[in-house]
Short mmCIF file of all heavy atoms in Angstrom, two decimals:
data_model
loop_
_atom_site.label_atom_id
_atom_site.label_comp_id
_atom_site.label_asym_id
_atom_site.label_seq_id
_atom_site.Cartn_x
_atom_site.Cartn_y
_atom_site.Cartn_z
N ILE W 90 -142.21 -24.60 -17.47
CA ILE W 90 -143.66 -24.52 -17.67
C ILE W 90 -144.13 -23.23 -17.01
O ILE W 90 -144.09 -23.08 -15.79
CB ILE W 90 -144.40 -25.73 -17.07
CG1 ILE W 90 -143.98 -27.01 -17.82
CG2 ILE W 90 -145.91 -25.53 -17.16
CD1 ILE W 90 -144.79 -28.24 -17.45
N SER W 91 -144.53 -22.28 -17.85
CA SER W 91 -145.00 -20.99 -17.33
C SER W 91 -146.51 -21.03 -17.21
O SER W 91 -147.22 -21.42 -18.14
CB SER W 91 -144.59 -19.86 -18.28
OG SER W 91 -145.32 -18.69 -17.94
N LEU W 92 -147.01 -20.63 -16.03
CA LEU W 92 -148.46 -20.70 -15.78
C LEU W 92 -149.18 -19.43 -16.21
O LEU W 92 -150.37 -19.25 -15.94
CB LEU W 92 -148.70 -20.96 -14.28
CG LEU W 92 -148.57 -22.39 -13.75
CD1 LEU W 92 -149.67 -23.28 -14.34
CD2 LEU W 92 -147.21 -23.03 -14.00
N GLY W 93 -148.46 -18.53 -16.88
CA GLY W 93 -148.97 -17.19 -17.14
C GLY W 93 -150.28 -17.11 -17.92
O GLY W 93 -150.98 -16.10 -17.83
N ARG W 94 -150.62 -18.17 -18.64
CA ARG W 94 -151.89 -18.11 -19.39
C ARG W 94 -153.08 -18.59 -18.56
O ARG W 94 -154.23 -18.42 -18.98
CB ARG W 94 -151.79 -18.95 -20.66
CG ARG W 94 -150.96 -18.28 -21.75
CD ARG W 94 -150.71 -19.21 -22.91
NE ARG W 94 -151.92 -19.47 -23.70
CZ ARG W 94 -152.07 -20.56 -24.48
NH1 ARG W 94 -151.11 -21.46 -24.55
NH2 ARG W 94 -153.17 -20.72 -25.16
N MET W 95 -152.82 -19.16 -17.42
CA MET W 95 -153.92 -19.64 -16.56
C MET W 95 -154.20 -18.60 -15.49
O MET W 95 -153.70 -18.67 -14.38
CB MET W 95 -153.54 -20.99 -15.94
CG MET W 95 -153.44 -22.09 -17.00
SD MET W 95 -153.01 -23.69 -16.30
CE MET W 95 -154.39 -23.97 -15.18
N ARG W 96 -155.03 -17.61 -15.87
CA ARG W 96 -155.21 -16.47 -14.97
C ARG W 96 -156.68 -16.12 -14.79
O ARG W 96 -157.06 -14.95 -14.84
CB ARG W 96 -154.43 -15.27 -15.49
CG ARG W 96 -154.57 -14.99 -16.97
CD ARG W 96 -153.99 -13.62 -17.30
NE ARG W 96 -152.55 -13.57 -17.19
CZ ARG W 96 -151.86 -12.52 -16.70
NH1 ARG W 96 -152.51 -11.45 -16.28
NH2 ARG W 96 -150.55 -12.55 -16.66
N ARG W 97 -157.47 -17.15 -14.53
CA ARG W 97 -158.89 -16.92 -14.37
C ARG W 97 -159.26 -17.02 -12.88
O ARG W 97 -158.84 -17.95 -12.20
CB ARG W 97 -159.67 -17.99 -15.15
CG ARG W 97 -161.02 -17.55 -15.69
CD ARG W 97 -161.44 -18.44 -16.87
NE ARG W 97 -161.33 -19.85 -16.52
CZ ARG W 97 -162.33 -20.57 -15.97
NH1 ARG W 97 -163.50 -20.00 -15.72
NH2 ARG W 97 -162.16 -21.84 -15.69
N VAL W 98 -160.01 -16.03 -12.39
CA VAL W 98 -160.64 -16.18 -11.09
C VAL W 98 -161.92 -16.97 -11.35
O VAL W 98 -162.85 -16.48 -11.97
CB VAL W 98 -160.97 -14.81 -10.44
CG1 VAL W 98 -161.72 -15.01 -9.12
CG2 VAL W 98 -159.68 -14.03 -10.20
N ARG W 99 -161.95 -18.23 -10.89
CA ARG W 99 -163.07 -19.09 -11.27
C ARG W 99 -164.33 -18.79 -10.48
O ARG W 99 -165.43 -18.93 -10.97
CB ARG W 99 -162.69 -20.57 -11.07
CG ARG W 99 -161.69 -21.09 -12.07
CD ARG W 99 -161.55 -22.61 -11.94
NE ARG W 99 -160.37 -23.11 -12.63
CZ ARG W 99 -159.77 -24.26 -12.36
NH1 ARG W 99 -160.24 -25.04 -11.39
NH2 ARG W 99 -158.71 -24.63 -13.03
N GLU W 100 -164.18 -18.42 -9.21
CA GLU W 100 -165.36 -18.22 -8.38
C GLU W 100 -165.01 -17.37 -7.15
O GLU W 100 -163.95 -17.56 -6.56
CB GLU W 100 -165.92 -19.58 -7.92
CG GLU W 100 -167.32 -19.49 -7.33
CD GLU W 100 -167.75 -20.75 -6.60
OE1 GLU W 100 -166.97 -21.71 -6.52
OE2 GLU W 100 -168.87 -20.74 -6.07
N VAL W 101 -165.92 -16.46 -6.80
CA VAL W 101 -165.82 -15.76 -5.52
C VAL W 101 -167.10 -16.05 -4.76
O VAL W 101 -168.19 -15.84 -5.29
CB VAL W 101 -165.67 -14.23 -5.72
CG1 VAL W 101 -165.54 -13.54 -4.36
CG2 VAL W 101 -164.48 -13.91 -6.60
N ASP W 102 -166.97 -16.58 -3.55
CA ASP W 102 -168.15 -16.91 -2.75
C ASP W 102 -168.11 -16.11 -1.45
O ASP W 102 -167.40 -16.45 -0.52
CB ASP W 102 -168.15 -18.42 -2.46
CG ASP W 102 -169.38 -18.86 -1.68
OD1 ASP W 102 -169.98 -18.01 -0.98
OD2 ASP W 102 -169.74 -20.03 -1.76
N PRO W 103 -168.90 -15.02 -1.39
CA PRO W 103 -168.80 -14.14 -0.22
C PRO W 103 -169.50 -14.68 1.02
O PRO W 103 -169.35 -14.11 2.10
CB PRO W 103 -169.43 -12.82 -0.70
CG PRO W 103 -170.28 -13.18 -1.87
CD PRO W 103 -169.81 -14.50 -2.41
N VAL W 104 -170.30 -15.76 0.89
CA VAL W 104 -170.88 -16.38 2.09
C VAL W 104 -169.86 -17.35 2.70
O VAL W 104 -169.54 -17.27 3.89
CB VAL W 104 -172.20 -17.11 1.77
CG1 VAL W 104 -172.70 -17.86 3.00
CG2 VAL W 104 -173.25 -16.12 1.30
N ALA W 105 -169.34 -18.23 1.86
CA ALA W 105 -168.32 -19.17 2.34
C ALA W 105 -166.99 -18.46 2.56
O ALA W 105 -166.08 -18.99 3.19
CB ALA W 105 -168.15 -20.30 1.36
N ASP W 106 -166.87 -17.22 2.03
CA ASP W 106 -165.62 -16.47 2.09
C ASP W 106 -164.47 -17.25 1.46
O ASP W 106 -163.41 -17.46 2.06
CB ASP W 106 -165.28 -16.09 3.53
CG ASP W 106 -165.76 -14.67 3.86
OD1 ASP W 106 -166.20 -13.95 2.94
OD2 ASP W 106 -165.68 -14.27 5.03
N THR W 107 -164.70 -17.67 0.22
CA THR W 107 -163.66 -18.36 -0.52
C THR W 107 -163.55 -17.81 -1.94
O THR W 107 -164.50 -17.21 -2.46
CB THR W 107 -163.95 -19.87 -0.64
OG1 THR W 107 -165.20 -20.05 -1.33
CG2 THR W 107 -164.03 -20.53 0.72
N LEU W 108 -162.40 -18.01 -2.52
CA LEU W 108 -162.12 -17.57 -3.88
C LEU W 108 -161.34 -18.67 -4.57
O LEU W 108 -160.34 -19.16 -4.03
CB LEU W 108 -161.32 -16.26 -3.80
CG LEU W 108 -160.99 -15.50 -5.09
CD1 LEU W 108 -160.89 -14.01 -4.80
CD2 LEU W 108 -159.70 -15.99 -5.71
N THR W 109 -161.81 -19.09 -5.72
CA THR W 109 -161.13 -20.16 -6.46
C THR W 109 -160.45 -19.56 -7.69
O THR W 109 -161.09 -18.82 -8.45
CB THR W 109 -162.14 -21.24 -6.88
OG1 THR W 109 -162.88 -21.65 -5.73
CG2 THR W 109 -161.42 -22.45 -7.48
N VAL W 110 -159.18 -19.86 -7.84
CA VAL W 110 -158.38 -19.12 -8.82
C VAL W 110 -157.35 -20.02 -9.48
O VAL W 110 -156.86 -20.96 -8.86
CB VAL W 110 -157.71 -17.91 -8.10
CG1 VAL W 110 -156.74 -18.39 -7.03
CG2 VAL W 110 -157.04 -16.98 -9.07
N GLU W 111 -157.03 -19.71 -10.72
CA GLU W 111 -155.98 -20.46 -11.42
C GLU W 111 -154.60 -19.91 -11.02
O GLU W 111 -154.45 -18.74 -10.67
CB GLU W 111 -156.19 -20.36 -12.92
CG GLU W 111 -157.47 -21.08 -13.36
CD GLU W 111 -157.76 -20.96 -14.85
OE1 GLU W 111 -157.06 -20.17 -15.54
OE2 GLU W 111 -158.68 -21.65 -15.31
N ALA W 112 -153.62 -20.79 -11.13
CA ALA W 112 -152.30 -20.50 -10.54
C ALA W 112 -151.60 -19.29 -11.14
O ALA W 112 -150.83 -18.62 -10.46
CB ALA W 112 -151.41 -21.73 -10.66
N GLY W 113 -151.85 -19.01 -12.43
CA GLY W 113 -151.11 -17.92 -13.07
C GLY W 113 -151.69 -16.54 -12.83
O GLY W 113 -151.17 -15.54 -13.34
N THR W 114 -152.73 -16.45 -12.03
CA THR W 114 -153.36 -15.16 -11.76
C THR W 114 -152.46 -14.30 -10.87
O THR W 114 -151.97 -14.76 -9.85
CB THR W 114 -154.70 -15.39 -11.03
OG1 THR W 114 -155.44 -16.39 -11.73
CG2 THR W 114 -155.51 -14.11 -10.94
N PRO W 115 -152.25 -13.03 -11.25
CA PRO W 115 -151.44 -12.17 -10.38
C PRO W 115 -152.10 -11.96 -9.01
O PRO W 115 -153.33 -11.90 -8.93
CB PRO W 115 -151.37 -10.85 -11.16
CG PRO W 115 -151.65 -11.21 -12.57
CD PRO W 115 -152.62 -12.37 -12.51
N LEU W 116 -151.28 -11.84 -8.00
CA LEU W 116 -151.79 -11.60 -6.65
C LEU W 116 -152.71 -10.38 -6.61
O LEU W 116 -153.77 -10.40 -5.98
CB LEU W 116 -150.61 -11.45 -5.68
CG LEU W 116 -150.91 -11.00 -4.26
CD1 LEU W 116 -151.96 -11.87 -3.58
CD2 LEU W 116 -149.62 -10.99 -3.43
N ALA W 117 -152.32 -9.31 -7.30
CA ALA W 117 -153.13 -8.09 -7.27
C ALA W 117 -154.52 -8.32 -7.85
O ALA W 117 -155.50 -7.74 -7.36
CB ALA W 117 -152.42 -6.97 -8.04
#
Side-chain angles (χ1 to χ4, degrees):
Chain W
I90 296 188
S91 166
L92 280 294
R94 285 172 70 202
M95 293 181 60
R96 46 168 70 218
R97 210 158 51 89
V98 176
R99 289 189 194 158
E100 194 193 0
V101 181
D102 183 336
V104 174
D106 264 352
T107 60
L108 185 151
T109 308
V110 64
E111 294 178 350
T114 312
L116 172 53

